[in-house]
């Protein structure tokens, strides 16, 4: 749960950073699509943090914790072309999805409730991933 929380917090931050800096002919559509990812990631991170709390595990979404343990590559500073923004989101979402699928496998036997939550989150992230992949097809 802690790893999922970190990945979702970072995904929301990466998407917002790109959102603020995207430029190019597809600015508007990519800009709006990024906000959809931010909204999803924020909703999912709250669900994950509350699940951890329900199990008696204190969630840790502090900046230092996120920076030291996220599975997402660092986002470059400055303006980012729309095509590069889309590529960065494909990569970021792909990283989080890979780690979420590992969590699905790991929680099957010991915690099917968390597994079900991870399955739903993964499905939602895969939808975003597919839509960003279609942008650069």
């Amino acid at each position: 749960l802690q790893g999922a929380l970190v990945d979702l917090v970072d995904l929301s931050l990466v998407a917002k950073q790109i959102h603020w800096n995207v430029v190019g002919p597809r600015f508007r559509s990519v800009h709006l699509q990024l906000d959809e990812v931010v909204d999803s990631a924020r909703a999912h991170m709250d669900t994950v943090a509350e699940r951890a709390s329900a199990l008696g595990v204190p969630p840790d979404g502090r900046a230092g914790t996120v920076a030291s343990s996220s599975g997402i590559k660092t986002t470059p500073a400055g303006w980012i072309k729309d095509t590069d923004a889309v590529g960065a989101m494909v990569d970021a979402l792909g990283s989080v999805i890979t780690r979420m699928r590992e969590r699905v496998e790991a929680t099957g036997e010991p915690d099917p409730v968390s597994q079900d939550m991870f399955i739903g989150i993964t499905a939602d992230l895969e939808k975003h991933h597919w839509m960003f992949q279609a942008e650069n097809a």
Side-chain angles (χ1 to χ4, degrees), residues 39-119:
D39 291 346
S40 287
R42 286 179 178 167
H44 293 315
M45 68 185 179
D46 195 49
T47 300
V48 168
E50 289 175 356
R51 175 71 181 152
S53 292
L55 294 175
V57 178
D60 186 356
R62 296 173 301 156
T65 303
V66 173
S68 68
S69 53
S70 173
I72 302 173
K73 287 190 244 176
T74 303
T75 305
W79 305 120
I80 183 166
K81 285 186 49 109
D82 51 6
T83 54
D84 295 336
V86 168
M89 286 308 299
V90 168
D91 290 346
L93 285 160
S95 294
V96 175
I97 289 165
T98 297
R99 289 166 55 116
M100 283 296 177
R101 286 186 161 276
E102 292 168 359
R103 293 175 184 112
V104 168
E105 290 296 319
T107 55
E109 180 66 30
D111 186 2
V113 174
S114 292
Q115 182 191 46
D116 183 59
M117 182 185 62
F118 288 142
I119 289 168

